[in-house]
Amino acid sequence: MSRPAPEFMFDFGSPNAYLSHEAIPAIVKRIGVQFYYVPVLLGGIFKATNNKSPAESLAGIKNKREFHEVETQRFLKRYQVQPWVWNPYFPVNTLNLMRAAIAAELEGVFEAYVDAAFHHMWREPKKMDDPEIAIAAITSSGLDGAKLFARAQEPEVKAKLVENTQRAVERGAFGSPTFFVGNEMFFGKEQLRDVEEYILGK
């Protein structure tokens, strides 16, 4: 029985979304199905669900943060991906970055933009909520950063990001990375194994 393409609800502000993005190509090779990337605003999801970032939710909890690090190391080994480099400007307001992702879809450069934005957030981290820095970073990756960030201010682009975010919440999302295969939801990078098994019918 064929399964629908897995959807990946992502925000560039999530290091675990970055790690998922890095792991997905190998999964695609194994399952023969492309992931459908859906830009959402994590801050909007948190507000709608009364959720908090791991940086806040793990603060002061003995052993939990340490376990998350163990879990991350297992993930890196399993998927043979590069770890993220901590962004010294975290938390970064990703509103314009995510709007520009919608603009990149309209401009036909979405995949290249996603690669570039994740790179400049979590491989060579920069203060990506500074418009000048973000435009220069995206431009250095071979894209027209000025054009994309200009389009990011268009009403229909803003509305689409809001729509994506609201829709994700309506379907059950409370954070990023979140994956959907049809109506089945999977949360967190660790559940990529479950996504893969579900698609293969295991």
Side-chain angles (χ1 to χ4, degrees):
M1 183 180 71
S2 63
R3 304 276 188 192
E7 298 171 78
F8 174 29
M9 309 288 166
F10 74 97
D11 183 307
F12 297 119
S14 166
N16 287 326
Y18 160 75
L19 292 179
S20 298
H21 171 66
E22 292 295 297
I24 282 171
I27 297 172
V28 169
K29 283 185 178 180
R30 288 194 293 271
I31 65 177
V33 180
Q34 292 290 336
F35 278 64
Y36 177 63
Y37 279 53
V38 182
V40 296
L41 187 63
L42 188 53
I45 289 178
F46 283 166
K47 185 175 181 180
T49 60
N50 199 32
N51 196 5
K52 295 179 180 179
S53 72
E56 293 178 89
S57 64
L58 298 182
I61 301 178
K62 183 175 176 61
N63 297 331
K64 194 171 182 181
R65 186 183 298 277
E66 289 79 3
F67 173 73
H68 274 249
E69 179 57 30
V70 169
E71 202 171 46
T72 295
Q73 292 305 314
R74 290 172 180 161
F75 184 91
L76 296 176
K77 184 177 180 180
R78 178 180 304 120
Y79 290 102
Q80 296 295 300
V81 297
Q82 292 291 316
W84 42 260
V85 177
W86 184 251
N87 192 311
Y89 304 102
F90 187 86
V92 175
N93 185 327
T94 58
L95 177 60
N96 285 323
L97 275 179
M98 299 315 301
R99 286 174 174 171
I102 302 293
E105 286 184 299
L106 298 175
E107 291 289 327
V109 294
F110 182 66
E111 290 185 14
Y113 176 81
V114 170
D115 283 340
F118 270 129
H119 178 85
H120 294 294
M121 274 292 297
W122 299 111
R123 286 304 302 160
E124 296 182 21
K126 300 171 179 66
K127 186 172 172 52
M128 294 296 282
D129 50 7
D130 182 312
E132 290 186 7
I133 291 173
I135 289 171
I138 296 301
T139 301
S140 75
S141 294
L143 297 166
D144 190 338
K147 184 176 184 179
L148 291 173
F149 280 81
R151 288 210 70 177
Q153 303 309 312
E154 294 177 0
E156 59 268 33
V157 170
K158 294 180 179 180
K160 179 61 175 175
L161 182 61
V162 170
E163 178 187 331
N164 284 358
T165 303
Q166 290 177 338
R167 177 71 177 135
V169 171
E170 289 168 2
R171 295 174 71 187
F174 53 86
S176 173
T178 296
F179 307 91
F180 287 96
V181 184
N183 292 322
E184 292 291 316
M185 187 181 98
F186 304 84
F187 173 72
K189 67 184 185 298
E190 293 77 19
Q191 289 206 332
L192 271 171
R193 281 190 298 180
D194 298 297
V195 171
E196 183 172 354
E197 290 180 357
Y198 185 76
I199 291 169
L200 293 175
K202 294 184 178 180

